[in-house]
Amino acid sequence: MFTGTVLAMVGLVAITFFSRKQSAATERYSENSPTARLGTARKHQESRTNMPNNGETHNTTPTRFVEAGGTRFAYRRFGTPLGVPLVLVQHFRGNLDNFDPGVTDRLAEGREVILFDNAGVGATTGEAKTTIAEMAADAASFIDALGLAQVDMFGFSMGGQVAQQIAVDRPGLIRKLVLVGTGPRGGEGMASLTDYTIELFTREYDPQELMWLPIFFGESEEAQASGAAFLARVNERIDRDAPVGPKAAAAHLAAAGEWGAPGSDISYLKQITQPALVVNGSNDVVIPTINSYVLQQELPNARLLLFPDSNHGSQFQFPEVFVREVNDFLND
């Protein structure tokens, strides 16, 4: 999916993602700049009513830990403890703080939501793995350590690849799958990034978190405003997770490269018989949208949801609609 020197550059840039510190230079931006919109969004947060029954929310639930196979996993668990829990599997270079409360708090109104750092990521100990299969084994061991016999799983980007692998290796563990902004093994355009996307990842921004606006969101003014609101939401929590270091980034880059290698056999998708909801933006610049079509066509029991004027992080751009669709799917 991502290979060579470009990946090293992307990994270095990613170290500064979601910094909570704003540069003094941002004061020079106009009212209509991305930085100004971000500041406005932080002052005017959309309300998220009907908070989970246990009183904890995305931003207030404590970070907990559980041991599995010598690894101490960091996780956050909140919501309504009814039915099958929903486990979220994060994207490349993402930690607990990169999950969107605009999505997770809404999901937690009707179910229990579990966020976690995989091995070697954030506050979780152990070594980050260099293949998706190993990452999937670590994630499954975390779920086992929580004593859960079955879960629903929501995997975003690389997390969607991990979710696919778990569904193959441990089919009884997953009831339903939500696969967002992801693709199959050897998917189209997954062996390397385009020159355009490389430039987005390696460009200097002020603050650096503005990088996510052209990567996760559509190009229209409305889409970019949604991006500013998203950045504000993910920076709300006071106690922060440990950053994802370069060692974990390098390991996961290798995993992405192995998964995206051209010519990979996708017959494994026929083994994933769980109901699946495949979601993407109309123009995903990281994992091309065509791969979502492939997943829907090759998975035996999948439906496809595409959002307009959107990109790799369509669920962040349309959190209300996304959650409604996911709830309908999981509750069906």
Side-chain angles (χ1 to χ4, degrees), residues 253-270:
L253 287 173
E258 185 269 340
W259 181 271
S264 299
D265 184 5
I266 65 169
S267 62
Y268 74 93
L269 291 171
K270 297 302 183 185

Side-chain angles (χ1 to χ4, degrees), residues 26-311:
T26 61
E27 298 298 327
R28 300 194 297 269
Y29 279 69
S30 71
E31 289 183 357
N32 293 321
S33 71
T35 302
R37 291 200 299 269
L38 174 57
T40 300
R42 282 177 174 154
K43 293 177 182 177
H44 304 287
Q45 289 298 308
E46 58 180 307
S47 64
R48 293 188 290 277
T49 58
N50 300 321
M51 286 294 103
N53 289 344
N54 62 8
E56 294 179 354
T57 70
H58 180 105
N59 290 331
T60 64
T61 192
T63 301
R64 298 174 169 90
F65 297 89
V66 66
E67 297 274 350
T71 298
R72 185 171 182 255
F73 287 91
Y75 71 101
R76 296 172 184 163
R77 184 173 183 172
F78 56 102
T80 306
L82 297 173
V84 180
L86 178 64
V87 175
L88 280 67
V89 191
Q90 190 58 287
H91 61 79
F92 171 68
R93 289 308 305 252
N95 65 8
L96 291 171
D97 294 331
N98 299 135
F99 292 105
D100 181 4
V103 171
T104 58
D105 277 338
R106 287 187 171 94
L107 287 170
E109 292 170 13
R111 70 195 75 255
E112 193 171 28
V113 169
I114 300 172
L115 320 175
F116 77 105
D117 285 333
N118 211 343
V121 172
T124 294
T125 64
E127 295 291 325
K129 301 305 191 296
T130 57
T131 68
I132 296 296
E134 292 173 305
M135 293 172 68
D138 283 338
S141 71
F142 161 72
I143 295 170
D144 290 339
L146 293 182
L148 299 173
Q150 191 174 58
V151 300
D152 292 326
M153 186 163 287
F154 167 4
F156 172 42
S157 195
M158 177 178 280
Q161 299 163 9
V162 172
Q164 292 173 56
Q165 190 66 54
I166 295 174
V168 171
D169 295 341
R170 297 279 304 276
L173 188 60
I174 297 180
R175 184 184 72 110
K176 290 188 177 183
L177 282 167
V178 180
L179 302 173
V180 182
T182 193
R185 280 188 169 276
E188 184 172 330
M190 291 176 61
S192 63
L193 296 172
T194 65
D195 290 343
Y196 170 73
T197 305
I198 291 169
E199 196 277 329
L200 294 179
F201 269 112
T202 56
R203 182 193 305 170
E204 290 188 7
Y205 301 80
D206 190 7
Q208 192 61 37
E209 63 184 358
L210 294 178
M211 181 193 72
W212 291 117
L213 297 183
I215 291 173
F216 277 173
F217 298 87
E219 296 181 349
S220 71
E221 183 175 347
E222 183 179 7
Q224 290 294 293
S226 295
F230 160 74
L231 291 178
R233 292 194 300 269
V234 297
N235 278 297
E236 288 174 350
R237 186 174 171 114
I238 302 302
D239 59 312
R240 310 294 289 179
D241 192 10
V244 181
K247 186 175 181 180
H252 290 174
L253 287 173
E258 185 269 340
W259 181 271
S264 299
D265 184 5
I266 65 169
S267 62
Y268 74 93
L269 291 171
K270 297 302 183 185
Q271 302 175 47
I272 303 176
T273 57
Q274 297 93 333
L277 174 63
V278 180
V279 182
N280 211 337
S282 55
N283 183 30
D284 188 333
V285 301
V286 179
I287 298 180
T289 302
I290 187 63
N291 292 291
S292 293
Y293 286 96
V294 173
L295 287 175
Q296 192 277 326
Q297 290 292 302
E298 295 297 327
L299 290 167
N301 188 8
R303 63 184 75 172
L304 177 63
L305 173 63
L306 294 179
F307 285 101
D309 180 32
S310 52
N311 201 337

